[in-house]
Amino acid sequence: MISDLKDKRLLLRFLAISALGTVADYLLALLLAGLLSAPYAIASTLGFILGSVINYFGHNIFSYEHTSRNTISLKGYGKYFLAVLSSLVIRLAVVEGLAFTTALPFWIILLVAIGASFVANYVISTLWVFRRPG
């Protein structure tokens, strides 16, 4: 429901869990790009996938009051993965767009891209993936 998007407690829980996934995401992307010289888009994608796994489990257990460990499923992760793929498209567009049009360092580009994908993920997750029954 659209009203769930305005639930401040849900947003704070979602943000806290997302922060854990984002830290893992960010550190892996920096490690791959910095130490292993992986292309930015690949480093960003692999970090994003790691963050999505952490976030799916965390959101099921902690973010949404109507979900729990019992609602974790392969089908549920499939829906969540489709949601994060949608936000990945937004993230990569921001990464590539800023890398092409600015001289910003990658770490700043990555933070902006993570912010954009967070907003998309919150909306899609709340309205579709973890939609309240009824």
Side-chain angles (χ1 to χ4, degrees):
M1 292 203 240
I2 299 258
S3 62
D4 287 338
L5 292 174
K6 298 177 184 178
D7 182 341
K8 289 183 175 88
R9 292 180 308 135
L10 170 59
L11 178 60
L12 290 175
R13 288 190 306 269
F14 194 92
L15 181 60
I17 293 301
S18 295
L20 293 175
T22 299
V23 167
D25 170 347
Y26 187 68
L27 292 176
L28 181 60
L30 288 178
L31 172 78
L32 293 173
L35 294 179
L36 301 177
S37 301
Y40 290 170
I42 290 173
S44 183
T45 300
L46 292 176
F48 190 83
I49 291 169
L50 175 62
S52 79
V53 171
I54 292 168
N55 289 341
Y56 175 71
F57 283 91
H59 292 320
N60 257 295
I61 297 167
F62 300 109
S63 296
Y64 294 90
E65 292 176 349
H66 61 279
T67 61
S68 68
R69 289 186 176 127
N70 297 328
T71 58
I72 294 171
S73 68
L74 191 55
K75 180 182 177 184
Y77 181 72
K79 283 177 73 174
Y80 186 71
F81 195 70
L82 287 174
V84 298
L85 284 177
S86 299
S87 58
L88 176 60
V89 169
I90 293 166
R91 175 180 170 152
L92 292 177
V94 172
V95 165
E96 292 300 319
L98 289 176
F100 183 73
T101 60
T102 73
L104 291 171
F106 179 60
W107 68 270
I108 293 175
I109 291 171
L110 192 57
L111 285 177
V112 173
I114 287 170
S117 66
F118 171 82
V119 171
N121 189 25
Y122 177 68
V123 170
I124 296 167
S125 292
T126 301
L127 296 181
W128 182 55
V129 178
F130 301 105
R131 184 182 180 140
R132 185 181 307 277

